[in-house]
């Protein structure tokens, strides 16, 4: 447990997290985010940051019900305020319906919605960082995928710490960057964390990231240390890769980050539901922050 927490602390130190900083941690209900919450709760005492959590109820039947229950248990175990964003409550639909309405694969819609909601909540709370539970196996697979397609701009975002664009996007922190899936699982068991092992019914085993993750596991079994070497090198060099070329701009509908014109969330919801839902999502999150007694950035 000391080893695990030392590795998490190292990333927090690298990001210069200090007393009074606000860390918003994304909890999915699975083992990785549960381990992250456990470690961040342990380290909170000595560093003194403020911790809040966010869970997105994706509206995917029994899977979402169990995930939400686990997230609630895990947050309340440590007295961490939890913002629950229920997609059906805000949008009137969950991920399966949004996917049908836009004729896109569920995972592509889901990824886009999650990125938007997590960033919106971090901006509204004025978080110093949005903290994600990606482990070394996830990161190695993402890096290989980006390298395979020579998507160097994505590689520049795959480090343990990414930058904040004030008022538009909050930087990400990945404290489990150098910890494997196995280590994360063992740590969450030792800490008796609450999580669900259920898998989303939409998971696609042939998705390139999932295949690459298995490949990383295979290489690691033949070449122990492969993952740590790959990620250690990437962590040293990711800022050298080219940054996205399009100038960053503000979505005219919701005011958050976009790469030109309306952001992808506003575009997607306009297409599926007839209006851009960014403003409604932001108002919903502000309401949740008020209910939890958390400050809203820009309000006194
Ligand atoms: Fe979302 Fe796809 Fe993951 Fe299910 S498997 S939670 S739809 S990204
Ligand atoms: Zn928008």
């Amino acid at each position: 447990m000391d080893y695990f927490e030392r590795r998490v602390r190292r990333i927090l130190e690298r990001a210069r997290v200090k007393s009074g900083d606000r860390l918003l941690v994304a909890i999915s209900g699975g083992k990785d985010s549960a381990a992250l919450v456990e470690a961040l709760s342990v380290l909170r005492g000595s560093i003194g940051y403020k911790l809040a959590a966010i869970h997105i109820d994706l509206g995917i039947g029994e899977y979402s019900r169990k995930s939400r229950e686990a997230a609630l248990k895990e947050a309340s175990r440590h007295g961490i305020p939890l913002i629950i964003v229920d997609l059906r409550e805000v949008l009137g639909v969950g991920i399966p319906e949004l996917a049908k309405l836009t004729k896109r694969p569920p995972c592509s819609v889901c990824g886009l919605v999650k990125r938007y909601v997590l960033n919106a909540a971090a901006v509204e709370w004025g978080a110093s960082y949005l903290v994600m539970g990606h482990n070394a196996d996830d990161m190695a697979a993402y890096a290989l995928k980006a390298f395979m397609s020579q998507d160097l701009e994505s590689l520049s975002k795959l480090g343990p710490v990414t930058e904040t664009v004030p008022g538009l996007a909050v930087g990400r922190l990945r404290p489990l960057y150098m910890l494997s899936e196995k280590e994360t699982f063992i740590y969450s068991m030792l800490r008796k964390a609450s999580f669900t092992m259920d898998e989303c019914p939409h998971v696609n085993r042939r998705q390139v990231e999932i295949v690459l993750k298995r490949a990383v596991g295979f290489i690691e079994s033949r070449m122990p240390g492969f993952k740590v070497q790959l990620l250690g090198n990437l962590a040293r060099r990711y800022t050298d890769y080219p940054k996205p070329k399009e100038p960053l701009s503000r979505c005219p509908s919701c005011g958050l980050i976009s790469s030109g014109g309306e952001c992808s969330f506003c575009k997607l919801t306009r297409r599926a539901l007839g209006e851009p839902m960014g403003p409604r999502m932001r108002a919903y999150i502000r309401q949740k922050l008020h209910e939890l007694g958390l400050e809203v950035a820009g309000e006194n």
Side-chain angles (χ1 to χ4, degrees):
M1 286 195 275
D2 281 350
Y3 162 84
F4 193 94
E5 287 151 15
R6 264 201 314 277
R7 292 223 145 177
V8 169
R9 182 188 277 275
R10 220 177 278 165
I11 305 271
L12 300 183
E13 284 170 356
R14 180 174 175 156
R16 299 201 172 85
V17 172
K18 55 184 185 317
S19 173
D21 276 356
R22 296 180 185 181
L23 302 188
L24 180 66
V25 51
I27 320 191
S28 64
K31 64 179 185 333
D32 298 320
S33 51
L36 182 58
V37 169
E38 293 293 327
L40 289 175
S41 307
V42 171
L43 298 172
R44 175 168 54 170
S46 59
I47 306 180
Y49 44 76
K50 293 179 187 156
L51 208 49
I54 175 163
H55 172 77
I56 308 174
D57 185 326
L58 302 166
I60 307 179
E62 188 61 6
Y63 166 73
S64 286
R65 198 191 58 71
K66 283 195 183 159
S67 304
R68 180 174 173 150
E69 200 178 283
L72 259 167
K73 253 195 198 163
E74 186 54 33
S76 67
R77 195 175 130 99
H78 297 286
I80 299 170
L82 176 66
I83 306 161
I84 295 187
V85 174
D86 186 327
L87 291 187
R88 287 190 192 282
E89 220 172 87
V90 203
L91 308 177
V93 289
I95 294 297
E97 295 85 354
L98 263 184
K100 271 196 198 112
L101 287 165
T102 52
K103 299 190 176 62
R104 286 174 58 162
C107 295
S108 123
V109 173
C110 186
L112 187 158
V113 170
K114 283 193 280 202
R115 276 193 299 279
Y116 181 83
V117 173
L118 296 178
N119 181 55
V123 169
E124 295 296 354
W125 186 40
S128 319
Y129 283 109
L130 173 61
V131 194
M132 309 293 296
H134 299 134
N135 60 44
D137 295 61
D138 300 323
M139 295 312 296
Y142 297 155
L144 288 180
K145 184 187 171 202
F147 188 75
M148 203 170 83
S149 50
Q150 282 299 288
D151 180 359
L152 303 183
E153 291 173 9
S154 286
L155 272 173
S156 77
K157 296 186 218 149
L158 291 179
V161 187
T162 67
E163 277 172 27
T164 288
V165 185
L168 292 180
V170 171
R172 289 175 175 222
L173 197 56
R174 299 181 174 110
L176 310 184
Y177 196 82
M178 298 295 268
L179 289 156
S180 71
E181 188 160 288
K182 201 187 264 176
E183 287 166 331
T184 304
F185 178 66
I186 294 170
Y187 178 78
S188 56
M189 295 297 285
L190 290 172
R191 282 259 170 237
K192 300 189 171 48
S194 298
F195 59 89
T196 168
M197 289 296 279
D198 281 23
E199 205 168 55
C200 173
H202 297 293
V203 73
N204 174 3
R205 301 242 141 258
R206 276 181 292 180
Q207 204 179 323
V208 64
E209 288 91 344
I210 296 182
V211 176
L212 284 173
K213 213 165 142 177
R214 279 210 302 272
V216 166
F218 173 77
I219 302 173
E220 180 75 27
S221 70
R222 303 294 162 104
M223 248 175 81
F226 164 75
K227 253 181 305 197
V228 169
Q229 203 182 347
L230 173 73
L231 292 173
N233 288 334
L234 183 60
R236 269 190 294 282
R237 302 292 306 272
Y238 71 103
T239 49
D240 296 347
Y241 286 104
K243 299 266 178 314
K245 280 183 213 71
E246 317 92 46
L248 296 175
S249 58
R250 195 177 283 277
C251 167
S253 299
C254 72
L256 290 180
I257 198 159
S258 104
S259 51
E262 215 167 39
C263 72
S264 4
F265 179 76
C266 285
K267 258 190 223 151
L268 178 104
T269 46
R270 183 192 286 284
R271 197 172 136 206
L273 309 166
E275 61 169 309
M277 290 292 188
R280 189 185 293 190
M281 181 60 79
R282 293 191 68 178
Y284 175 91
I285 291 169
R286 284 197 293 274
Q287 175 65 30
K288 292 273 169 178
L289 289 170
H290 283 301
E291 285 168 16
L292 290 165
L294 293 168
E295 285 165 48
V296 174
E299 284 180 11
N300 283 316

